[in-house]
Amino acid sequence: MTTHTDARPVVHPVDEKLPALKMATTGLQHVAAMYAGVVAPPLIVGAAVGLSGSELTFLTGACLFTAGLATFLQTLGIWKIGARLPFVNGVTFAGVAPMTAVVASTKDKSDALPIIFGAVIVAGLLGFLAAPFFSRAVRFFPPVVTGTVITLIGLSLLPVAFGWAQGPDPAAHDYGSTTNLGLAAATLVVVLLVRRFTHGFVRQIAVLLGLLIGTVLAIPFGATDFGPVANADVIGFPTPFHFGAPRFQLAAIVSMIVVMVVSMTESTADMLALGEIVERPADEATITAGLRADTLGSALSPLFNGFMCSAFAQNIGLVAMTRIRSRYVVATGGGFLVLMGLCPMAASLIAVVPRPVLGGAGVVLFGSVAASGIQTLVRAGLEKDTNSMIVAVSLAVGIIPIAAPDFYHAFPQTAKIVLDSGISTGCVAAVALNLVFNHLGRARERAGQVRGTTEAVPLARQPIA
């Protein structure tokens, strides 16, 4: 190992342990960036089931708690489980549609959550076993593919930020109002100003400062609701199988397996993207370990009343923007998630941040992901017509669910789970086109190039006459 002159080993930024205060504030920043994405699925599914306010709070806290545990698995790792990269794990939004479909097809709504939990357990265990085989696809992800997928991750997340900027409820009279959009714009400006005119630690927590200042600015407009804090309990624990023992229904299991495949595809792309950003490229072993963390976290999550877990692309943007690459920072964020799951009042503090304020910060976070993808594409050799064609078609396919959300409305619900994920469809298109244009039928050509290179080496080593 390379060492400094004082014989201390060089520590990669991913493995760096920062001072306690910096670790805490930057970890909290990760939680703030992904909080809305974690709580949205349980709120939607819980409302569909018809849970009471207290039960809905319990389900949300359980998802925060299991997200923290899954984040520990991913960042700290045990054995060959965990990518040991700065990944935040939480409830995947890809499972919302099939879970609400399960609720709709269940006559007794009290059976819906146990059926969902049983399906998630089976899908998680099967995904854990399939991880080593799934990760072998990493060799089919050269820069032309990874750059395309990273760009699509950012582009797919931007509509989420735009939705947050308009307000929490599309049916509300003030949805998309000038007040909401103004708060989003003000938050964005604060983040940009902090990034431009400050240095060091303050500059690195620009998003957290933007959320704090944006929340304060929202108070005179009545957009900041402190009700969740006043009504929340101080201590709570996600009692195992609170909603009943898991039940195993074939149709629900099949739908969640499809979601697991989609989730594993997106996680693979996320790991490749984050590996590029933190300058520790994700190889096959890293991806296998990361997928094991995702799938094991998903299989264990229903024990504490949580849903399927996956890596959160939102936080990749935060890493890209702040350049804080320590996995221990994200593990600290996982600790905050666990505490919020055990302390509903603490969880409600993040809920105070108005959705438009989150939207303003989200523009920076998600745009940073897309920018990282473009940086990767710069190194992909787009001067080759074949590579530019791969990027052009793959981006077009991946943007379909964003530009035309009802494009696949005539397809079966199971197929739409995959097709409505632009990241997954764009990733599949990029891999397939890369195989067609850069691999199939090129074996002889590559062999000839290798022979030519081998023969040229001795000539290159000859001394100059």
Side-chain angles (χ1 to χ4, degrees):
M1 181 179 291
T2 304
T3 57
H4 289 303
T5 54
D6 59 0
R8 288 182 300 177
V10 175
V11 177
H12 192 282
V14 169
D15 299 318
E16 184 181 5
K17 295 181 180 179
L18 306 180
L21 178 60
K22 190 172 184 179
M23 194 95 76
T25 52
T26 50
L28 187 60
Q29 187 170 239
H30 274 283
V31 174
M34 55 87 75
Y35 179 84
V38 172
V39 302
L43 289 176
I44 295 171
V45 175
V49 173
L51 297 181
S52 64
S54 60
E55 291 292 285
L56 201 57
T57 300
F58 180 92
L59 183 64
T60 303
C63 287
L64 288 168
F65 179 77
T66 54
L69 296 182
T71 298
F72 286 152
L73 268 180
Q74 193 67 270
T75 54
L76 303 179
I78 54 172
W79 185 57
K80 296 182 180 180
I81 301 171
R84 292 170 174 81
L85 290 172
F87 257 135
V88 173
N89 272 38
V91 181
T92 175
F93 212 88
V96 171
M99 287 192 292
T100 53
V102 169
V103 174
S105 63
T106 305
K107 292 183 180 180
D108 187 349
K109 301 304 180 187
S110 63
D111 293 333
L113 286 175
I115 290 173
I116 290 171
F117 292 149
V120 171
I121 291 172
V122 174
L125 292 176
L126 291 177
F128 184 85
L129 295 175
F133 308 99
F134 200 93
S135 64
R136 291 177 186 171
V138 68
R139 64 181 181 273
F140 301 121
F141 287 80
V144 68
V145 174
T146 57
T148 301
V149 174
I150 297 168
T151 304
L152 278 173
I153 291 172
L155 294 178
S156 297
L157 289 170
L158 280 172
V160 176
F162 301 150
W164 290 346
Q166 294 178 83
D169 184 6
H173 71 279
D174 64 342
Y175 186 74
S177 65
T178 54
T179 299
N180 287 346
L181 297 182
L183 288 172
T187 303
L188 174 60
V189 169
V190 169
V191 173
L192 294 176
L193 289 175
V194 173
R195 290 288 296 178
R196 174 62 182 85
F197 295 107
T198 63
H199 302 280
F201 176 64
V202 174
R203 187 171 188 266
Q204 291 173 331
I205 60 168
V207 172
L208 183 60
L209 292 176
L211 293 173
L212 290 173
I213 295 173
T215 300
V216 172
L217 292 175
I219 294 176
F221 299 97
T224 305
D225 180 15
F226 292 96
V229 178
N231 299 324
D233 294 329
V234 177
I235 300 175
F237 184 80
T239 312
F241 301 130
H242 175 81
F243 296 99
R247 298 178 57 183
F248 303 96
Q249 187 184 87
L250 182 59
I253 290 172
V254 171
S255 66
M256 295 312 294
I257 288 175
V258 173
V259 174
M260 178 59 72
V261 173
V262 173
S263 176
M264 291 173 74
T265 302
E266 293 187 354
S267 287
T268 299
D270 289 343
M271 279 183 268
L272 291 166
L274 188 59
E276 292 285 335
I277 291 170
V278 302
E279 298 177 352
R280 178 181 277 181
D283 56 14
E284 185 176 321
T286 300
I287 292 174
T288 298
L291 292 178
R292 281 177 177 151
D294 276 0
T295 53
L296 181 61
S298 296
L300 295 177
S301 186
L303 173 65
F304 299 102
N305 313 285
F307 299 138
M308 185 178 292
C309 295
S310 180
F312 262 51
Q314 291 96 314
N315 298 80
I316 297 176
L318 192 57
V319 174
M321 190 190 76
T322 63
R323 302 302 299 167
I324 297 177
R325 295 175 278 178
S326 171
R327 59 191 173 102
Y328 296 103
V329 164
V330 177
T332 302
F336 281 121
L337 290 171
V338 169
L339 289 176
M340 286 191 288
L342 298 175
C343 179
M345 182 173 288
S348 65
L349 289 173
I350 299 293
V352 168
V353 180
R355 200 64 59 84
V357 173
L358 284 173
V363 170
V364 177
L365 296 176
F366 307 156
S368 296
V369 178
S372 296
I374 294 171
Q375 289 175 344
T376 303
L377 286 174
V378 169
R379 306 193 303 271
L382 294 186
E383 67 278 1
K384 292 176 59 178
D385 290 341
T386 54
N387 283 349
S388 62
M389 184 65 66
I390 292 170
V391 175
V393 175
S394 301
L395 285 177
V397 170
I399 290 174
I400 287 175
I402 305 171
D406 297 325
F407 190 81
Y408 300 112
H409 73 278
F411 284 73
Q413 185 64 37
T414 303
K416 287 170 65 179
I417 294 172
V418 179
L419 296 174
D420 284 343
S421 170
I423 298 171
S424 296
T425 55
C427 180
V428 171
V431 170
L433 290 172
N434 179 60
L435 284 173
V436 171
F437 283 103
N438 292 331
H439 289 271
L440 297 182
R442 298 292 180 87
R444 290 184 179 179
E445 179 182 337
R446 290 197 301 272
Q449 290 174 347
V450 171
R451 285 196 299 271
T453 301
T454 303
E455 294 170 0
V457 170
L459 295 175
R461 291 176 179 172
Q462 290 180 359
I464 300 175

